[in-house]
């Protein structure tokens, strides 16, 4: 028996075959190549992140573990998840429980974590956006979406001025997650509600010499 779904999809295929769409050239003449000195890029990126209600800590690379431990203590995180490829030294000063993520851990179980610590692929100063691409130090998308606290380490050298410059550093075939502040939306009365579609709290640790 033919289902309604099969009928509809068949008619769509027939229509596409009768009226093929010619290829369309997409203009790619974006404004690119913009740069800023490190201090100005850091200030712009930090300002945008704060506008989005993220918490920002700038530090040198040798203080990464110290700052992460301080952040986790301040937020009462006693059990944190980490992607398999995260630099273990980043958690050297943390005295809580560390759970390394695995693909076979069901996403609902990640809700038992107090937070997650990840790296980042790229940052965009102009929009205050962080790009995750599923690399070993960032892990799967569920890991950065389910826990209520996300501590994300971003190297200043990976922060570009604008979106075109940032996108050019990405690998198109990799799964990309864009983060601009903690998860937030508005209810029917336009009241801001946080933590609906992801972490309620985003803490960004920017390593200024990395």
């Amino acid at each position: 028996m033919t289902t309604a779904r099969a009928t509809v999809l068949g008619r769509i295929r027939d229509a596409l075959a009768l009226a093929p769409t010619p290829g369309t050239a997409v203009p790619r003449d974006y404004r690119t190549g913009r740069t800023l000195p490190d201090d100005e890029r850091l200030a712009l990126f930090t300002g945008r992140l704060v506008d989005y209600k993220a918490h920002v800590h700038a530090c040198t690379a040798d203080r990464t573990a110290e700052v992460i431990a301080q952040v986790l203590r301040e937020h009462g995180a006693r059990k944190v998840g980490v992607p398999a490829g995260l630099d273990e030294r980043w958690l050297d000063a943390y005295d809580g429980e560390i759970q390394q993520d695995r693909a076979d851990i069901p996403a609902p179980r990640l809700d038992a974590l107090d937070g997650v610590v990840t790296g980042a692929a790229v940052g965009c100063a102009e929009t205050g956006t962080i790009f995750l691409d599923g690399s070993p130090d960032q892990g799967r998308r569920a890991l950065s979406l389910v826990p209520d606290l996300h501590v994300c380490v971003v190297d200043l050298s990976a922060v570009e001025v604008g979106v075109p410059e940032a996108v050019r550093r990405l690998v198109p075939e990799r799964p990309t997650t864009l983060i601009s502040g903690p998860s937030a939306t508005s209810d029917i009365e336009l009241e801001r509600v946080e933590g609906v579609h992801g972490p309620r709290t985003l803490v960004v640790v920017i390593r200024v010499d990395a």
Side-chain angles (χ1 to χ4, degrees), residues 185-193:
T185 187
S186 296
D187 64 16
I188 195 170
E189 296 180 349
L190 300 183
E191 293 290 335
R192 180 182 172 93
V193 180

Side-chain angles (χ1 to χ4, degrees), residues 152-173:
C152 188
V153 179
V154 183
D155 292 343
L156 184 58
S157 62
V159 177
E160 296 286 352
V161 174
V163 173
E165 292 88 354
V167 169
R168 292 183 72 173
R169 295 182 61 154
L170 297 172
V171 178
E173 293 76 18

